[in-house]
Amino acid sequence: VQLVESGGGSVQPGGSLTLSCAASKFAFRFYDMTWIRQAPGKGPEWVASITGLVDADAGTPSYADSVKGRFTIYRDNPKTALYLQMASLKPDDTAVYYCARGRGSPSNLPPRGDWGQGTQVTVSS
């Protein structure tokens, strides 16, 4: 599994940012994919997941309550890429964001070995 995130940076509150994740070395289109974040001094937090072709409901997103209505997860299977479009950003969104292979939920995260290296997002005025 190889996952490489990009697109992080610094943005003011209320701003927008889109993260990308380039996936390789596995059959991306079949797998559920997930975004996870970890804020300074806190544990990792599930952000969003999207189902893969292995599921009858392929392409279906799910979101943590904290980001619902502000973030959009989507994928481009031919490009083996995962995205996280973030809008109305808040200081509490400041974290390292990771993409991961597998489905997540508020109580379960994909194995750490299936995460990328992360990209920093800082929301500050």
Side-chain angles (χ1 to χ4, degrees):
V1 177
Q2 185 165 347
L3 300 165
V4 180
E5 301 92 337
S6 61
S10 295
V11 62
Q12 292 187 339
S16 301
L17 211 54
T18 297
L19 306 182
S20 302
C21 173
S24 61
K25 299 185 179 180
F26 68 101
F28 174 81
R29 64 193 182 279
F30 293 115
Y31 283 85
D32 299 341
M33 295 295 295
T34 290
W35 285 99
I36 296 159
R37 68 185 181 185
Q38 187 162 15
K42 296 186 178 180
E45 175 192 18
W46 173 69
V47 175
S49 292
I50 187 167
T51 53
L53 292 181
V54 71
D55 299 295
D57 60 346
T60 299
S62 55
Y63 299 95
D65 288 344
S66 59
V67 307
K68 199 173 294 183
R70 301 188 298 121
F71 290 11
T72 302
I73 185 173
Y74 59 101
R75 64 192 298 162
D76 186 330
N77 287 336
K79 294 184 178 179
T80 65
L82 179 72
Y83 302 93
L84 185 68
Q85 186 176 48
M86 306 184 293
S88 301
L89 283 162
K90 306 174 182 179
D92 283 350
D93 295 319
T94 295
V96 177
Y97 284 72
Y98 302 88
C99 74
R101 184 179 71 172
R103 187 182 299 197
S105 72
S107 58
N108 184 60
L109 297 174
R112 186 61 180 88
D114 286 349
W115 300 15
Q117 86 290 346
T119 186
Q120 176 71 47
V121 172
T122 302
V123 184
S124 173
S125 55

